[in-house]
């Protein structure tokens, strides 16, 4: 097994050639780059969520196991929404494994079994990193294309809710 990852040439979002039937708004390079960053983190979140789903053990296993599937479903569907938005704007999304591995901002999830309480913290951090990427690029995306920003808003709402759901499992109330 190779321990290194080689990123393919031409990694990352690119603009497509305009075809005969295509017209409309063309994503500026910065918009394509920002949406690519979101796509990469959503794809990584999907993979991290499945890794956690398969390998958690411990207290409250079933609830977390099922909740992780919700996160995975949101990440996967949202990545598809972002990639399809990119294509609609004549940009080409790139979520090949080597590209995702090289470009994601998410921390690596540990291999092997993970205690549910540790997985809660790790998954919350992964969701918050993904949300952080979206919030970092939001204003530039909004300036370039309000429709793409609206897509980000919907994803943010769902992921922030999931971070709350998952993190609440191990939180304790503040003492008054």
């Amino acid at each position: 097994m190779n321990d290194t990852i080689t990123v393919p040439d031409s990694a990352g979002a690119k603009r497509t050639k305009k075809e005969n039937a295509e017209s409309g708004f063309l994503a500026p390079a910065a918009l394509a780059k920002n949406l690519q960053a979101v796509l990469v983190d959503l794809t990584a979140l999907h993979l991290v969520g499945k890794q956690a789903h398969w390998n958690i053990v411990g207290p409250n296993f079933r609830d977390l196991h099922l909740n992780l599937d919700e996160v995975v479903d949101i990440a996967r569907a949202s990545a598809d929404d972002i990639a399809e938005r990119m294509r609609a704007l004549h940009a080409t999304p790139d979520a090949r494994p080597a590209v995702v591995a090289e470009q994601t901002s998410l921390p690596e999830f540990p291999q092997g079994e993970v205690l549910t309480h540790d997985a809660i913290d790790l998954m919350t951090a992964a969701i918050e990193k993904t949300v952080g990427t979206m919030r970092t690029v939001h204003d530039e995306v909004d300036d370039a294309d309000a429709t793409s920003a609206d897509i980000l808003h919907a994803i943010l709402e769902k992921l922030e809710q999931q971070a709350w759901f998952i993190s609440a499992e191990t939180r304790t109330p503040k003492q008054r």
Side-chain angles (χ1 to χ4, degrees):
M1 173 120 188
N2 189 350
D3 288 342
T4 61
I5 295 173
T6 304
V7 176
D9 291 335
S10 300
K14 302 286 183 212
R15 285 188 30 187
T16 63
K17 294 178 183 172
K18 205 169 179 184
E19 299 295 329
N20 293 338
E22 294 178 343
S23 60
F25 182 68
L26 295 173
L31 177 58
K33 180 179 174 244
N34 287 331
L35 293 177
Q36 173 68 21
V38 171
L39 174 64
V40 162
D41 278 0
L42 287 168
T43 302
L45 182 61
H46 164 248
L47 296 171
V48 166
K50 283 314 273 187
Q51 182 70 16
H53 172 86
W54 295 322
N55 290 295
I56 58 168
V57 294
N60 221 12
F61 163 82
R62 182 156 171 76
D63 287 341
L64 182 57
H65 184 77
L66 295 173
N67 198 167
L68 289 170
D69 268 342
E70 291 178 36
V71 173
V72 166
D73 289 347
I74 291 166
R76 186 169 180 243
S78 298
D80 195 48
D81 290 344
I82 293 294
E84 289 180 356
R85 181 66 185 158
M86 291 174 74
R87 292 298 296 144
L89 301 179
H90 308 283
T92 55
D94 191 350
R96 294 173 291 169
V99 173
V100 172
E102 194 237 350
Q103 293 180 2
T104 187
S105 71
L106 274 62
E108 187 168 342
F109 195 86
Q111 180 187 22
E113 291 184 339
V114 177
L115 184 64
T116 50
H117 288 94
D118 294 336
I120 287 166
D121 294 340
L122 292 165
M123 281 307 301
T124 300
I127 294 168
E128 288 175 348
K129 268 299 210 184
T130 305
V131 165
T133 295
M134 287 190 281
R135 289 196 173 280
T136 297
V137 303
H138 175 273
D139 289 349
E140 279 188 38
V141 169
D142 194 33
D143 288 344
D145 179 38
T147 303
S148 294
D150 287 346
I151 294 169
L152 292 183
H153 298 156
I155 298 167
L156 283 165
E157 178 186 11
K158 292 173 189 171
L159 288 180
E160 288 174 340
Q161 182 183 50
Q162 289 300 316
W164 165 51
F165 285 169
I166 291 172
S167 68
E169 177 73 30
T170 56
R171 285 188 55 234
T172 56
K174 289 184 181 181
Q175 298 299 319
R176 294 181 192 198

